[in-house]
Amino acid sequence: MIIPIYGYGEPVLRQVGEEITPNYPNLSAIIANMYDTMYNAYGVGLAAPQVGLPIRLFVIDTEPFSDSDNLTKEEQQQLKNFKQTFINAKILKEEGELWGFNEGCLSIPDVREDVYRNERITIEYCDENFNKKTEVFDGLIARVIQHEYDHIEGILFTDHLTILKKTLIKKKLQNIMDGKAFPDYRMKFANKKGR
Ligand SMILES: [Zn+2]
């Protein structure tokens, strides 16, 4: 089921997510809804706060990135097959060079900016069956995880921008809060009822 995505300015996007247990109410339905909602909006990741839940849960499917140019065949294959649910994630280590990538966010439609992040992460998390894993990721997969992980820490990609860039997008962010954004998926806006 497709559910509304909470827009920039919604307080839940600023909450630090709580850890959950396997008994969290309707968890498998929530996860299924998050995938439906992400695919419907052509996103590569979606975090629980973006659907109004302040919990440490996010889903990723990097398949849409797999046909980007300037990737090796191996990278394309990795991106094509990477679909993963992350529960109670904790990034243990971020390392390697900082590299820039033009990021966007389903909660912040029509805003795209270069964000600099470390190239490699070590992350501990549980999958949807609460099997605990520790894994190392790099490149675009690490990038998407870092973006979604920020969401469960109450951080948005726009927080990483320079003061100048933040000033330049201020009006766009205000428009999103006021509901003056019109992506082709359902959203819930901070200063506007329903839609
Ligand atoms: Zn996002």
Side-chain angles (χ1 to χ4, degrees), residues 94-132:
E94 287 188 270
E95 58 195 337
E97 268 180 56
L98 289 174
W99 65 292
F101 184 80
N102 201 247
E103 292 190 20
C105 179
L106 296 178
S107 293
I108 315 176
D110 302 321
V111 177
R112 297 199 68 90
E113 295 291 344
D114 286 348
V115 177
Y116 289 82
R117 300 186 190 269
N118 289 101
E119 65 188 357
R120 189 164 53 258
I121 60 164
T122 305
I123 188 169
E124 179 186 272
Y125 67 97
C126 295
D127 66 15
E128 64 277 17
N129 301 315
F130 277 82
N131 296 314
K132 201 167 185 173

Side-chain angles (χ1 to χ4, degrees), residues 39-137:
Y39 291 133
N40 176 65
Y42 301 102
V44 292
L46 188 69
Q50 295 181 276
V51 292
L53 299 171
I55 57 175
R56 299 184 79 77
L57 162 66
F58 55 89
V59 301
I60 288 178
D61 188 335
T62 57
E63 203 270 340
F65 278 163
S66 66
D67 52 15
S68 323
D69 304 328
N70 65 41
L71 294 174
T72 65
K73 276 271 174 299
E74 194 196 344
E75 286 171 320
Q76 287 181 344
Q77 208 53 45
Q78 268 182 344
L79 290 163
K80 201 176 171 65
N81 297 324
F82 190 75
K83 175 181 174 178
Q84 184 66 59
T85 302
F86 291 81
I87 294 172
N88 299 340
K90 189 161 178 29
I91 289 183
L92 304 176
K93 199 157 55 170
E94 287 188 270
E95 58 195 337
E97 268 180 56
L98 289 174
W99 65 292
F101 184 80
N102 201 247
E103 292 190 20
C105 179
L106 296 178
S107 293
I108 315 176
D110 302 321
V111 177
R112 297 199 68 90
E113 295 291 344
D114 286 348
V115 177
Y116 289 82
R117 300 186 190 269
N118 289 101
E119 65 188 357
R120 189 164 53 258
I121 60 164
T122 305
I123 188 169
E124 179 186 272
Y125 67 97
C126 295
D127 66 15
E128 64 277 17
N129 301 315
F130 277 82
N131 296 314
K132 201 167 185 173
K133 302 180 176 190
T134 301
E135 287 183 293
V136 177
F137 296 103

Side-chain angles (χ1 to χ4, degrees), residues 47 50 103-106 117 142-152 155-157:
Q50 295 181 276
E103 292 190 20
C105 179
L106 296 178
R117 300 186 190 269
R143 162 78 51 173
V144 178
I145 294 172
Q146 288 162 317
H147 178 113
E148 299 311 324
Y149 186 82
D150 271 357
H151 275 300
I152 63 169
I155 298 166
L156 299 170
F157 84 90

Side-chain angles (χ1 to χ4, degrees), residues 5-8 104-112 157 172-173 175-177 180-185 187 189 195:
I5 295 175
Y6 284 48
Y8 185 93
C105 179
L106 296 178
S107 293
I108 315 176
D110 302 321
V111 177
R112 297 199 68 90
F157 84 90
K172 278 188 176 177
L173 296 179
N175 282 341
I176 295 168
M177 287 192 260
K180 290 181 235 155
F182 307 96
D184 47 16
Y185 48 87
M187 285 192 77
F189 298 106
R195 193 186 145 201

